[in-house]
Amino acid sequence: MAIRARTPKVAAAVAPATEAAETIQTNAQAAPDTAVKNVEQAMAYAKEQVDKMGKQVFQAYDDVAGQYKANVDALMQSSTVVAKGFETLSRAMMAYTQAQYEQGVTAAKAMMAVKTMRELVDLQTEYARTSFDAMVAEATKVSEISVKVASEAVEPISARINATVEKLAKPGLAA
């Protein structure tokens, strides 16, 4: 009888240990599934973050490439304006040189036909005055063309600088 009396007590004492063993076994069997689930969630999150970062990197690359292209276009526009300006200046200088040459030839012919020294001095004085006036007028014209060309050549570059400053001033782009 003494053994039987102990059996329910032993059974009562062993029951919590048996339950704990079953819980451990259940958890041990569920652990690989939980671990796989956790790894899958971590992989999905990592993939999502990589995709998001990849999109941001490609967007940033596209933005930089777009900026570079726009900058090159602005430089090309500026170069075109400068080239056309030099062409205009060259034509103006050629026209001035041609006019001065013709004026010089006409003055020389007139000077050869003078009969008095006074006529020669008057012709020479008139030639010098008209040549000086023509030179001042041409210098003014060249200066105006140069200022106009410089202003027009700077416009595309200035526009790109302003666009870049505006883009960099937007919140979130400086970070």
Side-chain angles (χ1 to χ4, degrees), residues 151-165:
S151 296
E152 289 176 1
V154 168
E155 284 177 12
I157 295 170
S158 179
R160 288 305 313 144
I161 289 171
N162 290 338
T164 301
V165 168

Side-chain angles (χ1 to χ4, degrees), residues 116-130:
T116 66
M117 186 60 114
R118 183 75 193 147
E119 282 182 66
L120 180 64
V121 170
D122 288 344
L123 278 174
Q124 179 61 35
T125 303
E126 180 62 22
Y127 174 71
R129 187 185 59 73
T130 57

Side-chain angles (χ1 to χ4, degrees), residues 76-86 148-150 152-154 156:
M76 293 303 293
Q77 289 173 349
S78 180
S79 297
T80 301
V81 168
V82 169
K84 287 180 181 178
F86 278 129
K148 181 182 177 207
V149 167
E152 289 176 1
V154 168

